[in-house]
Amino acid sequence: MMSVFNENTRRLILAAEIAGYLHDLGKLHPEFAGEMLGGGRNLGGATKDSCGINAAHGAILEAGRAYPPPDEMAVNPDLAGVLTGLLADPAWAEALAIPASWLRSGAVQASGLGAALRQHHAGDKFPAEQLSFLGDLYSFGADIRDSALDKASGVAEGGRQATAHAEIADAFGQKRAPYSTERLAAVWDDAIAVIKAHVFSPAATQDIAVTRRRLLADLQPLFSMALGETRRPTNDVTLWHHAHSSASFFKAAVAEGALRAEVNFKPLQTDEGAFDRGQLGRVRFRLLGVRWDWQALTRGMLTTTALVSLSHLRREVVDDLRELFEERAPVGNLIYKDDDGVLVLAPGFQEDEAAKSDALFARHLLDPLQEAIAECIEPLGVGTPFRLCWSAPALYLTDYAEALGLHADSCRQRHLQAGEEKLRVLWESANAEQGKLMQICPQCGLRPAETREYALTESRSRAQPLCDDCTALADRDAKRARVRHLAADFDFRSRISTMEELADEGDSSRVALLSVQVDAGAIASGTALITQLARPVASVRSALTAEDEKQKGNNKKHKSADISWLIDSNALGDWFEKRLDDLHAGKLPSKDDANLARSLLGETFWLTKKDGRSAAPGAAQRALEVAQGFLLRESAALPEAWQLTRHDGDRLALFAMRKHASPARLQRLWDDLRALWKELANEVAGTLDDRLLPLTLDARGLRFIVSAADADATVAIIGRLLAQRLSKVRGGLAAHVSCAVMRAKFPLYIALDVLGRLDARVPQVPHQTWRVESRGTNDKPVLDIIGQPKVCEPQVPPADASEKRVINISWSTPQGVVHWQVDTATDDPGQSDMWHPHVIAVTRAGKPVSGPQRLTHVLDLLPGDEVLVPPMTFDFMVLEGSARRHQLAYRREGEELRRPHWVMGEAGRSPLLLEGFAEFSRLVADSRWDSSKIKGLQGEMVETYEKWVRDVPAALRPTGRDAWRAHLRNILLRYVTGDDAPARRERLFKAIIDGRFFDAVEWTTFVSRTHRSLSEENA
Ligand SMILES: [Zn+2]
């Protein structure tokens, strides 16, 4: 590897990164929660006067601090030592010193790791001689790049948490942990001890990479118990996620200055050497993806052991890449990982010309690192193909698609191969050996493997020799290590090791390979988060009105801003559209309008003179450039069909309202998804008495195997858990379940291939229009006959507040009625969740809706309203013979995704709705037909369908279909009887004509069948 940095530069970057992690240490102090919760008093005014710092949590190092209080300092010498050390420390100052030749003269060097902490809220009165260049680079280049997107909550009412009910929410808007001064007290003391032990040990600055690693390992659990932003609904991003994200931005910004050897940091400075806020727009970032194709790498896997071994190697590869990017050549941090690789937050190398910028990125970063990256990947196998994909330099990172490699045609990628040279040598020597028969290894399809002559009658599928790498994946060591590797991923030890054993324990001869997946692209682009609002218009309006009243009280001459027009989100969009029209005409808004625009957006800099994010000459042009490069950017990924925007004004309105897919929030979401998959696997294992064989787990989902007889119960558990966890965010987020059923001895690689084909639908499933059938709450008081609440003993235990605000919604969908229970509560009985449970409404009260107003809270839905819902789907395939899988490809038809079907033919059928699984699973029982009747009737239905519909010329199909349906009606009339027959007939009829019934028969009478049920049947 070419050396990217010398030792001093590495030290500088890593020390700066540590400073970034510690910038919000003050938010760990219990008094921060005291300030921010309930009726707490904000102490920022006091510290502004005493030490020129506008927020008390940024003043903890100063003599004029608001907290920690003097008595705490007096009894805790460690605390005093840590705070003094952060303010100034010769060893750390030396590590943080930027070489003089990299800076214009006059620049102030950092005196300690507290530079970012002190300066990120430094006001006008902060002493200029203490404004270090690094501290300012952190404040303007890194901190606001993350928090600008996590902000929520500025100028909006209802977000402040009550002291008694404050909580840390998870990424799904549900309570994760309580949040209080008491809980912070213990965390604070622990954090001080950790910092003292790692940062101020005598050897701390000798190997800063080691110090960093130890510090982060110990700080992560502590920071995860604190919040960056305490107001709802942005109380999901923990202090850890915010610190990690902004420290990563900072690291990349410092690395870029070090790498740009011609100019270093000089372009970011004023003539006096200070940080030049007018050049803010030069500090930009890219996402660099190191991506391989996991599906392709595992397509040929012959054993579960080989698959698990390769997963383990992949984890080691990710660790190696982490070490490379974060420590050895520290250019940024890994901020995302999944089965297919990682994303690195990297420097942007912004230049006015894109080509020049790309050339710098290639010369300073890609070229020197490429070989080392390939070396990291080699353990996945000699010759493993991979890609480097990167995004354009951006002010704020919201566009992940490019770096994830989802744009196959992007020019910003390189196709490479790990160990290319070694692979060539392998083949050369294989071919050179006389008398040996060589073939391409049947498992990896890449490397040479020895082979022999096969008799024509001999099966080639078993016991074929593999290449060396593949042989090692399933050797004795690999078999021994398997349980340990799986335990690390899944948090439990599986006692079952073969598929035969698994099938057998479930009293079946078959197994079911299951996969649960979310659409990573929809999450990364933020489209899956669009139904979560941080600032609903009503809350912004009431906050503005309240602020106005306050101003009037303070100043009789105060002129109120007219916000009478702000009746809904479309009005907000229209108002912004007028401002944009003016800007396009070169006209700047009045001072009042500019102020109002910032309040409405929840954004501090736009339309101010000091907005240095654009260097365009005119102020109007500058404002448009920032809008283009930032404010409008995130909604560019929203599908046109959702009709959430009528114009750019609506896009600004969405920016103002939405919870953003900031890097920190996405990290939180991926972490929570990973935890959800583990929970799911454990739940299934628990229910099935450990009859579960785990395979792989990443941020996007998990795969495991159960006995086929357990498949029905497993899918039901998955459906239940997902419905509960995603309840608040279901309007935007969906997960999908795929299942391949096979005999225990069936070739695994074919099943994996099928599972991959089933999973391929996940990013393609379109939103469906569902209609509200009914909507009710659980909190209706029990009323007696004259309408008075009963005073007698309650029949049921009193529901707690959260149960009370569970909304039941029944939807009419293409596959029948589906029920949701939406949690609209928070942990605070006095505060309902007005932020998360939104849906995209298409019609309301019979009228079509368009624009941001489509985002509708579930409590506002009425029967008859139509809504665009991301369906959760379930699809399965039974593999008896390998022919059918080749037809398994989905195609889009309006709001449906269809695939060929064994009965329906090319017309196919849609994936099943996961939320309709209970009905699907009951269909056969619902018919009340015994097995011989089912066999007979199904034969009749299939045969007539083939004869009358499927296999006739297209022109005859409509009449054939009518005849078939009439025939079905007759069958049902005759064979479905009883009091509830009409409703059951209707359900069965619908299920037969869309093909579901035939799958239900296969699922219920074949897949789920146990040996015992079979013998009972035959008895
Ligand atoms: Zn191989």
Side-chain angles (χ1 to χ4, degrees):
M1 179 183 100
M2 231 178 90
S3 142
V4 182
F5 298 118
N6 68 28
E7 183 51 24
N8 276 340
T9 309
R10 269 183 80 233
R11 288 164 58 80
L12 165 64
I13 296 169
L14 294 172
E17 186 196 356
I18 293 176
Y21 272 104
L22 297 177
H23 83 282
D24 263 345
L25 184 63
K27 290 187 174 176
L28 224 53
H29 194 274
E31 289 215 17
F32 174 71
E35 271 187 284
M36 298 301 162
L37 297 181
R41 192 170 66 91
N42 192 313
L43 301 171
T47 54
K48 185 180 176 183
D49 293 340
S50 65
C51 45
I53 292 174
N54 296 338
H57 74 266
I60 58 168
L61 306 184
E62 318 299 318
R65 62 175 73 87
Y67 53 81
D71 51 343
E72 185 188 350
M73 301 282 283
V75 296
N76 190 344
D78 281 358
L79 172 61
V82 163
L83 297 186
T84 314
L86 289 175
L87 188 64
D89 179 275
W92 281 108
E94 182 267 328
L96 287 165
I98 302 174
S101 62
W102 294 6
L103 291 166
R104 289 174 197 262
S105 62
V108 178
Q109 297 279 6
S111 59
L113 289 171
L117 193 162
R118 306 178 72 199
Q119 283 171 244
H120 81 289
H121 284 292
D124 299 337
K125 287 184 198 140
F126 192 82
E129 70 278 5
Q130 293 182 39
L131 277 177
S132 68
F133 175 79
L134 269 184
D136 272 355
L137 179 62
Y138 174 79
S139 307
F140 300 106
D143 195 46
I144 59 167
R145 300 307 167 87
D146 187 67
S147 50
L149 283 172
D150 276 335
K151 69 101 188 67
S153 324
V155 205
E157 275 212 327
R160 196 175 180 101
Q161 299 203 65
T163 308
H165 300 286
E167 58 185 319
I168 297 177
D170 66 12
F172 313 122
Q174 298 184 347
K175 179 175 175 170
R176 190 51 160 268
Y179 177 79
S180 65
T181 53
E182 292 76 22
R183 284 179 68 90
L184 280 189
V187 177
W188 167 253
D189 286 343
D190 289 350
I192 294 300
V194 162
I195 294 169
K196 180 175 176 347
H198 295 311
V199 175
F200 295 111
S201 73
T205 55
Q206 269 169 26
D207 189 338
I208 299 184
V210 171
T211 301
R212 167 190 175 273
R213 210 181 308 154
R214 289 180 182 156
L215 178 70
L216 299 193
D218 286 350
L219 280 186
Q220 176 165 7
L222 300 172
F223 276 20
S224 299
M225 290 191 271
L227 282 171
E229 165 64 76
T230 59
R231 287 170 291 187
R232 297 178 198 277
T234 38
N235 57 334
D236 56 339
V237 174
T238 68
L239 185 57
W240 169 256
H241 291 94
H242 170 58
H244 176 55
S245 169
S246 63
S248 304
F249 278 117
F250 189 38
K251 183 180 203 169
V254 177
E256 177 172 336
L259 288 170
R260 279 181 177 254
E262 314 81 8
V263 292
N264 296 114
F265 293 107
K266 288 170 202 147
L268 303 178
Q269 290 179 285
T270 63
D271 291 340
E272 291 75 42
F275 183 84
D276 183 355
R277 287 161 68 172
Q279 300 303 320
L280 221 64
R282 285 179 179 270
V283 185
R284 295 196 185 208
F285 305 93
R286 296 177 192 249
L287 288 168
L288 169 63
V290 181
R291 312 293 291 166
W292 49 80
D293 184 345
W294 184 245
Q295 176 67 19
L297 286 177
T298 54
R299 194 173 286 146
M301 284 293 150
L302 299 175
T303 59
T304 55
T305 304
L307 181 57
V308 171
S309 302
L310 197 67
S311 301
H312 175 69
L313 289 176
R314 190 194 55 203
R315 209 166 31 234
E316 289 183 347
V317 165
V318 169
D319 287 345
D320 284 352
L321 286 169
R322 187 190 308 282
E323 197 206 326
L324 172 68
F325 283 107
E326 299 192 356
E327 292 177 14
R328 263 196 292 155
V331 292
N333 286 337
L334 265 60
I335 62 162
Y336 172 74
K337 62 173 195 286
D338 61 24
D339 279 347
D340 292 318
V342 300
L343 295 189
V344 180
L345 196 164
F349 295 94
Q350 166 70 8
E351 289 289 328
D352 290 340
E353 288 162 57
K356 198 175 165 203
S357 168
D358 281 342
L360 285 174
F361 184 69
R363 177 150 59 90
H364 288 309
L365 200 139
L366 293 175
D367 297 345
L369 285 178
Q370 186 169 304
E371 209 183 305
I373 295 170
E375 274 169 31
C376 290
I377 293 173
E378 221 184 279
L380 281 180
V382 171
T384 298
F386 70 98
R387 275 189 300 167
L388 298 178
C389 325
W390 56 97
S391 59
L395 282 167
Y396 299 84
L397 290 176
T398 55
D399 38 1
Y400 283 52
E402 210 160 20
L404 284 171
L406 302 177
H407 298 162
D409 53 347
S410 168
C411 56
R412 294 195 192 89
Q413 54 179 314
R414 290 181 182 178
H415 291 260
L416 302 160
Q417 210 175 4
E420 203 176 357
E421 177 60 19
K422 278 191 198 156
L423 184 66
R424 197 181 55 79
V425 173
L426 269 183
W427 276 106
E428 264 177 20
S429 53
N431 291 332
E433 275 195 73
Q434 297 287 321
K436 260 193 186 167
L437 249 144
M438 301 304 288
Q439 63 165 359
I440 296 181
C441 166
Q443 181 160 288
C444 62
L446 267 179
R447 295 174 288 269
E450 242 179 85
T451 186
R452 59 184 174 88
E453 294 279 3
Y454 283 85
L456 278 173
T457 50
E458 224 177 334
S459 162
R460 289 177 70 101
S461 66
R462 290 201 196 284
Q464 281 202 72
L466 306 178
C467 72
D468 294 348
D469 283 6
C470 286
T471 306
L473 286 177
D475 65 9
R476 210 166 344 131
D477 287 349
K479 283 192 181 114
R480 263 201 298 262
R482 206 179 71 149
V483 174
R484 186 161 38 84
H485 293 158
L486 283 172
D489 267 346
F490 284 82
D491 278 356
F492 71 91
R493 298 178 87 85
S494 169
R495 63 178 170 82
I496 289 180
S497 55
T498 69
M499 291 197 270
E500 285 88 344
E501 200 185 330
L502 186 69
D504 207 39
E505 287 221 10
D507 194 26
S508 171
S509 46
R510 294 184 175 77
V511 294
L513 208 65
L514 282 139
S515 160
V516 186
Q517 285 258 305
V518 291
D519 178 4
I523 290 175
S525 68
T527 55
L529 278 67
I530 191 66
T531 54
Q532 306 174 36
L533 300 188
R535 304 166 77 236
V537 164
S539 74
V540 173
R541 190 179 48 216
S542 50
L544 286 173
T545 312
E547 177 61 25
D548 195 53
E549 292 299 319
K550 206 172 108 190
Q551 293 292 337
K552 262 191 239 163
N554 293 345
N555 173 7
K556 289 267 145 39
K557 283 189 200 140
H558 171 76
K559 196 167 116 269
S560 308
D562 174 21
I563 52 162
S564 58
W565 55 267
L566 187 55
I567 45 170
D568 58 36
S569 47
N570 278 13
L572 181 62
D574 290 339
W575 188 85
F576 276 126
E577 182 64 3
K578 285 203 199 84
R579 306 289 84 76
L580 287 172
D581 280 348
D582 284 351
L583 288 172
H584 280 295
K587 208 174 118 197
L588 283 171
S590 68
K591 205 174 139 211
D592 288 343
D593 275 352
N595 274 329
L596 185 57
R598 282 189 295 274
S599 296
L600 291 168
L601 279 172
E603 220 272 337
T604 354
F605 296 105
W606 199 46
L607 295 165
T608 62
K609 282 204 188 90
K610 45 182 189 181
D611 190 350
R613 290 174 294 184
S614 155
Q621 208 186 324
R622 241 185 353 253
L624 283 172
E625 249 191 41
V626 172
Q628 223 33 270
F630 173 33
L631 305 169
L632 298 172
R633 198 181 167 90
E634 203 181 357
S635 49
L638 289 172
E640 200 71 40
W642 297 0
Q643 292 180 38
L644 286 168
T645 55
R646 300 159 301 162
H647 42 52
D648 277 351
D650 281 350
R651 292 188 177 86
L652 285 184
L654 287 180
F655 180 92
M657 291 156 57
R658 74 186 293 177
K659 212 167 155 177
H660 299 285
S662 68
R665 172 155 298 112
L666 287 180
Q667 291 253 27
R668 176 72 209 255
L669 178 54
W670 297 123
D671 284 352
D672 286 350
L673 281 170
R674 219 175 267 115
L676 175 62
W677 309 139
K678 282 185 192 180
E679 184 187 354
L680 209 151
N682 280 278
E683 184 88 10
V684 172
T687 312
L688 298 183
D689 194 19
D690 280 350
R691 290 192 303 276
L692 179 150
L693 195 62
L695 289 180
T696 60
L697 185 150
D698 75 356
R700 296 171 303 189
L702 79 165
R703 288 178 166 195
F704 58 90
I705 313 179
V706 296
S707 167
D710 290 327
D712 188 67
T714 304
V715 177
I717 293 168
I718 296 171
R720 263 202 311 276
L721 195 70
L722 289 175
Q724 199 259 319
R725 284 287 181 279
L726 305 184
S727 143
K728 286 187 174 195
V729 295
R730 248 318 261 124
L733 203 60
H736 304 268
V737 181
S738 305
C739 174
V741 180
M742 60 197 194
R743 290 194 168 277
K745 283 196 186 304
F746 189 83
L748 179 69
Y749 71 93
I750 298 180
L752 287 171
D753 178 66
V754 169
L755 206 58
R757 286 163 189 267
L758 289 166
D759 275 343
R761 79 182 182 283
V762 172
Q764 305 177 54
V765 175
H767 280 39
Q768 281 181 349
T769 306
W770 292 6
R771 201 181 64 242
V772 179
E773 288 285 288
S774 67
R775 207 221 70 197
T777 53
N778 283 353
D779 62 348
K780 296 237 164 62
V782 188
L783 296 182
D784 72 8
I785 222 145
I786 53 163
Q788 295 297 318
K790 275 186 181 169
V791 268
C792 58
E793 288 282 304
Q795 300 286 308
V796 284
D800 71 22
S802 56
E803 275 172 39
K804 270 195 193 165
R805 277 193 304 260
V806 171
I807 309 297
N808 295 307
I809 303 180
S810 296
W811 300 100
S812 164
T813 80
Q815 291 180 19
V817 176
V818 155
H819 304 282
W820 279 9
Q821 289 204 319
V822 184
D823 178 1
T824 66
T826 69
D827 195 44
D828 183 349
Q831 178 63 59
S832 74
D833 188 341
M834 58 180 179
W835 303 279
H836 295 102
H838 287 81
V839 289
I840 302 172
V842 180
T843 65
R844 299 192 56 197
K847 292 200 191 93
V849 197
S850 65
Q853 226 181 316
R854 279 197 158 196
L855 295 173
T856 305
H857 197 283
V858 291
L859 285 172
D860 296 330
L861 287 176
L862 295 170
D865 286 353
E866 289 178 317
V867 165
L868 274 179
V869 170
M872 298 217 272
T873 66
F874 164 63
D875 207 350
F876 75 99
M877 181 149 259
V878 176
L879 308 172
E880 307 282 270
S882 58
R884 265 162 36 184
R885 72 195 162 105
H886 297 297
Q887 304 169 4
L888 184 52
Y890 295 88
R891 64 168 199 287
R892 173 88 179 258
E893 219 169 79
E895 289 191 346
E896 302 275 343
L897 206 63
R898 305 183 79 83
R899 65 166 175 87
H901 184 258
W902 63 284
V903 178
M904 313 312 281
E906 274 308 304
R909 70 144 170 84
S910 297
L912 306 157
L913 294 180
L914 185 59
E915 282 144 333
F917 181 76
E919 185 187 319
F920 169 77
S921 164
R922 256 196 338 258
L923 260 178
V924 170
D926 234 18
S927 72
R928 299 185 198 154
W929 298 331
D930 63 25
S931 53
S932 64
K933 171 116 321 146
I934 290 172
K935 232 175 257 171
L937 290 179
Q938 168 160 296
E940 169 78 15
M941 293 167 189
V942 172
E943 200 179 310
T944 47
Y945 182 79
E946 286 170 355
K947 262 202 251 163
W948 302 352
V949 188
R950 205 181 78 185
D951 303 337
V952 299
L956 297 179
R957 249 170 236 159
T959 44
R961 184 169 288 116
D962 287 346
W964 187 57
R965 292 186 177 188
H967 186 56
L968 292 176
R969 294 267 188 214
N970 280 330
I971 294 179
L972 293 170
L973 207 57
R974 218 165 122 196
Y975 295 106
V976 179
T977 51
D979 290 347
D980 57 348
R984 284 193 295 125
R985 277 183 205 128
E986 197 52 33
R987 272 205 300 279
L988 283 163
F989 177 74
K990 283 189 176 148
I992 297 167
I993 61 168
D994 71 13
R996 258 181 304 149
F997 178 74
F998 306 111
D999 294 288
V1001 172
E1002 191 173 38
W1003 183 257
T1004 315
T1005 66
F1006 180 77
V1007 175
S1008 307
R1009 187 174 59 187
T1010 57
H1011 291 132
R1012 201 168 58 116
S1013 69
L1014 195 63
S1015 56
E1016 277 167 6
E1017 229 169 76
N1018 293 337

